[in-house]
Amino acid sequence: MQNIVLIGFMGSGKSSLGREIAKQSERYFLDTDSLIESSLNKSVSKIFTHFGEEEFRRQEGVLLRWLSVNVKNAVISTGGGMPIFHNVRDLGVVFYLEIAFEQILARLGADTQSTRPLFSDENKARELYVSRLARYKEQAHFTLNAVKPLEILTKEILDLSFNQA
Ligand code: S3P
């Protein structure tokens, strides 16, 4: 059974959706940011400050290779930049959660924005968002509109991944 892999920009709802899919399908939920944080015992924002983005991306690459060899039949939520810097199609069936930038702003409160190093400046985040759209679509097996109730998205993803198996 292949992994279900969720990709999308910061604030697109990958983690909440991933947890719901895992719950509904009795799979384990893994979040790449949390795995890197627990492995290095540092928050993502501290990793950026202490070691720099380049080291964070290297850690993502190491984790991606480990997951693709060792993990099957899980739900994996990826950090927003992972599919930009690495080929996540090696991990399983990839679902892109598409969402407008304005919707992301409405979802992410000021607190959440400040815990994400690449979201500290709204204009830069908007540019990053625009620059990434094509790459997300290229990496995805399926693109879904993320602005729907969790139960509907969960069902769509489980149906699509079942048909891919
Ligand atoms: C990043 C997204 C973050 C985290 C890091 C970099 C990005 O994950 O990996 O701050 O480059 O878009 P979320 O998408 O879970 O916020």
Side-chain angles (χ1 to χ4, degrees), residues 95-162:
F95 295 89
Y96 168 40
L97 303 184
E98 193 173 41
I99 178 168
F101 190 75
E102 299 311 321
Q103 294 270 357
I104 292 174
L105 288 183
R107 279 187 182 193
L108 290 182
D111 279 1
T112 336
Q113 285 183 27
S114 65
T115 62
R116 292 171 158 99
L118 299 180
F119 220 116
S120 49
D121 177 324
E122 194 178 304
N123 288 329
K124 286 200 182 133
R126 190 188 300 271
E127 279 169 26
L128 194 64
Y129 169 90
V130 172
S131 72
R132 286 178 170 182
L133 292 179
R135 173 74 175 163
Y136 283 137
K137 291 208 168 137
E138 213 175 84
Q139 289 269 299
H141 293 103
F142 299 101
T143 295
L144 302 177
N145 172 1
V147 192
K148 282 188 209 157
L150 274 192
E151 314 80 70
I152 308 251
L153 279 169
T154 299
K155 187 173 180 325
E156 278 180 13
I157 290 179
L158 286 175
D159 288 350
L160 288 165
S161 63
F162 186 73

Side-chain angles (χ1 to χ4, degrees), residues 3-8 12-32 73-78 93 95 97 107 144 146 148-151 153-155 157-158:
N3 295 310
I4 292 175
V5 182
L6 304 180
I7 66 170
S12 57
K14 293 162 290 186
S15 301
S16 338
L17 179 61
R19 278 196 197 89
E20 184 62 24
I21 300 170
K23 194 168 101 191
Q24 298 289 332
S25 61
E26 295 202 320
R27 289 176 169 93
Y28 266 93
F29 169 69
L30 301 171
D31 177 293
T32 62
N73 201 23
V75 183
I76 302 175
S77 160
T78 59
V93 190
F95 295 89
L97 303 184
R107 279 187 182 193
L144 302 177
K148 282 188 209 157
L150 274 192
E151 314 80 70
L153 279 169
T154 299
K155 187 173 180 325
I157 290 179
L158 286 175

Side-chain angles (χ1 to χ4, degrees), residues 39-120:
S39 189
L40 299 190
N41 197 24
K42 271 196 170 36
S43 67
V44 168
S45 95
K46 288 227 163 77
I47 297 170
F48 268 68
T49 331
H50 294 181
F51 306 126
E53 180 173 353
E54 208 177 308
E55 175 56 18
F56 178 74
R57 299 304 173 196
R58 197 187 68 78
Q59 292 290 339
E60 284 188 319
V62 171
L63 174 60
L64 186 99
R65 285 190 292 282
W66 185 85
L67 288 170
S68 54
V69 172
N70 294 294
V71 174
K72 298 274 169 295
N73 201 23
V75 183
I76 302 175
S77 160
T78 59
M82 194 184 240
I84 310 301
F85 291 86
H86 310 280
N87 181 14
V88 293
R89 289 171 78 102
D90 293 346
L91 276 183
V93 190
V94 180
F95 295 89
Y96 168 40
L97 303 184
E98 193 173 41
I99 178 168
F101 190 75
E102 299 311 321
Q103 294 270 357
I104 292 174
L105 288 183
R107 279 187 182 193
L108 290 182
D111 279 1
T112 336
Q113 285 183 27
S114 65
T115 62
R116 292 171 158 99
L118 299 180
F119 220 116
S120 49

